Amino acid sequence: HQHQHQHQQYQQYLQQRRQQHLQQQLHNPHQHQQHLQYQAQSSKAVVSHQQQHPQQARHRQQAHHHQQAQRHPQQSPQPQASHSHHAPPMPFGVDLSLMDSAHQVDSIKKHNAANQLFKNAVEWFCMYERHRSGLFEPSRGGFLPWFHGIVSRKHAEKLLTGMPVGSFLLRISDTRYCYVLTLKDTDKVRHFIVQQNAKRKYALLGFEKDGVHYLRDPLCNNVTELITYFQHHRVTETLSLKEPCVRSTSAGLRGLEPDSDSIYELADDTYDDTQ
């Protein structure tokens, strides 16, 4: 009974420690993440030492079993048959109860980083591109239908699924401040970066075989002229822009419209990582 009481007290102590870890994680996730990394590195060092010195590891394990047998004679472990090929001992020092929480912290950090990139892209477009891109037509009352705003590479490829070869859309990259022309080719979906030169002329970015990049002809005054040009000329060796992928939602255009408020008034959950 005394052993059972001590065991219950120990379990209560572990539960309190887990709650303290979770509270530390919520108040200081960066410090908690560093603690987890330190634990993981310590575990790797222990496993490496045990693999390099298996005899010492077996002696420690036997001594541990002997101490447990003296403390709890009724719960002495049965001797196990030795095998020539045995698995390395389980690493210790990692609190498994915190792994799910650490994953949640990592997801939150990624979402916050993506949200900040979204706001930066909105600021880049509003300050430098909105008045000269030619993408907004007052007569239409909005952006050109094949401009989807800030959209990820993965979501752009999803939008072109099921569409014929030559279908295209223009988007703003969600990881860098530039336009990207996304085109469905015969074998895959291709992404062409739209770059500007020193005189702020627009052109597609090309790559040599050795990795050196250059600006392809032609150089256009705005990105709309560039898209119009490649609707009549080939982007690849065999393909030109044929069918536009018409925008069905304005999710990627939030904050880009001329009558939008300051980007600093955007909600914290503006970025949708499903796009």
Side-chain angles (χ1 to χ4, degrees):
H1 292 291
Q2 182 180 1
H3 289 306
Q4 291 180 355
H5 180 67
Q6 291 177 351
H7 179 71
Q8 291 177 356
Q9 289 182 337
Y10 181 68
Q11 292 297 327
Q12 292 176 358
Y13 168 77
L14 290 179
Q15 183 65 23
Q16 292 176 356
R17 291 291 297 167
R18 292 190 184 99
Q19 293 178 356
Q20 291 176 0
H21 278 301
L22 291 176
Q23 291 177 357
Q24 291 176 0
Q25 171 199 346
L26 294 176
H27 292 293
N28 195 342
H30 177 69
Q31 181 179 1
H32 178 71
Q33 187 69 16
Q34 289 181 335
H35 175 66
L36 289 179
Q37 292 176 355
Y38 172 76
Q39 286 185 328
Q41 292 175 357
S42 301
S43 301
K44 290 180 181 179
V46 170
V47 173
S48 176
H49 182 271
Q50 290 176 343
Q51 291 176 346
Q52 294 176 3
H53 306 281
Q55 187 174 2
Q56 295 180 7
R58 285 195 297 270
H59 289 167
R60 291 194 187 95
Q61 189 175 13
Q62 291 174 359
H64 174 73
H65 288 325
H66 180 68
Q67 292 176 359
Q68 292 295 327
Q70 289 181 341
R71 293 177 181 177
H72 309 285
Q74 71 279 10
Q75 298 179 359
S76 300
Q78 298 295 328
Q80 298 180 355
S82 60
H83 298 281
S84 58
H85 301 285
H86 58 279
M90 177 68 70
F92 62 89
V94 178
D95 190 349
L96 298 179
S97 65
L98 301 177
M99 297 308 291
D100 291 340
S101 300
H103 176 71
Q104 293 176 0
V105 172
D106 187 58
S107 299
I108 293 173
K109 287 183 177 180
K110 289 181 179 179
H111 177 79
N112 291 341
N115 188 50
Q116 186 60 47
L117 286 173
F118 181 93
K119 291 183 177 180
N120 292 344
V122 171
E123 182 179 15
W124 168 80
F125 180 82
C126 294
M127 292 182 63
Y128 302 106
E129 294 296 318
R130 185 163 61 187
H131 64 285
R132 62 186 302 267
S133 64
L135 294 171
F136 187 86
E137 290 190 344
S139 59
R140 291 176 176 263
F143 289 101
L144 294 172
W146 39 260
F147 175 60
H148 288 248
I150 304 173
V151 173
S152 69
R153 179 190 186 102
K154 182 178 180 181
H155 187 65
E157 294 176 352
K158 183 179 179 180
L159 290 174
L160 293 178
T161 301
M163 296 195 68
V165 174
S167 300
F168 72 95
L169 60 88
L170 182 73
R171 61 187 178 90
I172 297 176
S173 172
D174 64 332
T175 58
R176 62 181 71 184
Y177 313 137
C178 67
Y179 298 107
V180 180
L181 172 62
T182 301
L183 171 66
K184 185 171 184 179
D185 206 340
T186 54
D187 55 343
K188 63 180 180 180
V189 175
R190 301 182 182 274
H191 304 269
F192 300 91
I193 295 177
V194 179
Q195 192 62 274
Q196 300 180 50
N197 64 2
K199 296 182 179 181
R200 303 197 69 181
K201 299 292 184 178
Y202 295 82
L204 292 185
L205 191 65
F207 291 91
E208 299 285 0
K209 292 183 179 180
D210 56 357
V212 178
H213 61 272
Y214 63 97
L215 293 181
R216 297 172 48 180
D217 289 331
L219 297 176
C220 299
N221 294 322
N222 58 50
V223 69
T224 305
E225 290 184 7
L226 186 67
I227 298 299
T228 302
Y229 174 86
F230 283 110
Q231 285 179 312
H232 301 90
H233 300 81
R234 290 179 295 182
V235 182
T236 65
E237 294 180 356
T238 59
L239 195 61
S240 61
L241 305 181
K242 295 181 180 179
E243 182 175 343
C245 177
V246 178
R247 184 180 62 251
S248 61
T249 176
S250 60
L253 301 177
R254 284 175 293 184
L256 305 183
E257 298 86 350
D259 56 349
S260 297
D261 294 331
S262 170
I263 62 161
Y264 300 103
E265 298 178 9
L266 291 173
D268 290 337
D269 58 350
T270 298
Y271 179 73
D272 182 4
D273 54 8
T274 61
Q275 292 191 14

